[in-house]
Amino acid sequence: MVLRTLTQLTDPDVGDAEELTELVHCLLFHPLQDSQLAAAFTISATPCRTSLAAALRAELVLPNTLTGSTRWSTTILMALGFIGGEPELRLAERIVLAGGIPTETKRVAASALAHLGTGTPTEWWHGAINQRLSILTANPDREDDVEILRSLIYSAATIGRREALEQLRSDPRTTLDPRAAATWWLALPNHLLISVRT
């Protein structure tokens, strides 16, 4: 798979292919997140970042990847959270709202929103939270769906979407745990929230 991703790169000068292969392998498969992050920082400092994110995005949207094993789709989403940009943000938004996608893939997509920029519109947040609360109201015992909501709370807080947190805190459908999480984030002083984002 690493080789397939590398063949999709559009940059004419990718430099040392062996070194880049090792970095991509580390980004995707290293067991320590610190090592994945170091690989992501290194890749981000190269001209290959955008092309690599596009190649991973192309791999993610393949039907077998997106609706199949969550191990591979979540691996790609976590990597995109490190190196992705606006196109990957839009894809993560679509994954969170889409039907027919495993909940673990949706959870990781919701978490990746925290690291893909601040361009998600307020309307999207309102719709995503409404969708998740409606699902949980109809199926209150679905812990996987609660985890998606927790990931949305984390992302909203990390990128400074206070209105999303306010919505969760005030909506009567919000259960105790997500309400407590939203309330906790809202109670943090602004300078701490800014430090989370930088």
Side-chain angles (χ1 to χ4, degrees):
M1 186 284 135
V2 171
L3 290 176
R4 184 170 67 216
T5 299
L6 291 173
T7 61
Q8 295 176 28
L9 294 180
T10 57
D11 293 306
D13 180 23
V14 296
D16 185 344
E18 187 176 319
E19 196 172 290
L20 185 59
T21 300
E22 183 60 34
L23 283 169
V24 172
H25 190 273
C26 185
L27 172 68
L28 294 171
F29 303 116
H30 200 284
L32 298 177
Q33 194 170 34
D34 286 350
S35 295
Q36 292 175 333
L37 193 56
F41 285 151
T42 304
I43 291 167
S44 294
T46 73
C48 299
R49 175 186 184 163
T50 304
S51 292
L52 180 57
L56 289 171
R57 188 176 72 245
E59 174 74 20
L60 181 60
V61 298
L62 293 173
N64 290 345
T65 304
L66 202 51
T67 60
S69 165
T70 59
R71 172 180 261 175
W72 186 224
S73 61
T74 58
T75 296
I76 294 172
L77 277 164
M78 285 188 277
L80 289 175
F82 290 136
I83 65 166
E86 186 162 344
E88 293 73 37
L89 172 64
R90 298 295 164 241
L91 177 58
E93 292 168 354
R94 288 193 305 274
I95 290 170
V96 169
L97 297 178
I101 295 175
T103 54
E104 179 61 7
T105 300
K106 289 182 177 222
R107 184 196 66 75
V108 175
S111 187
L113 294 172
H115 309 287
L116 289 169
T118 59
T120 300
T122 301
E123 302 78 34
W124 183 91
W125 284 103
H126 183 72
I129 290 168
N130 269 335
Q131 179 194 64
R132 199 56 33 205
L133 290 175
S134 295
I135 290 169
L136 286 169
T137 300
N139 305 286
D141 297 328
R142 288 179 53 169
E143 186 59 32
D144 288 349
D145 285 304
V146 173
E147 289 301 321
I148 296 170
L149 189 57
R150 285 187 187 118
S151 292
L152 285 172
I153 292 167
Y154 164 76
S155 290
T158 301
I159 63 171
R161 289 296 188 164
R162 292 184 65 85
E163 69 280 357
L165 299 172
E166 294 280 3
Q167 177 186 350
L168 278 161
R169 184 169 66 176
S170 63
D171 194 309
R173 298 173 296 170
T174 305
T175 56
L176 183 60
D177 182 51
R179 184 185 313 280
T183 301
W184 183 84
W185 280 103
L186 286 166
L188 287 178
N190 201 36
H191 68 279
L192 287 180
L193 286 174
I194 290 170
S195 73
V196 169
R197 293 192 290 274
T198 57

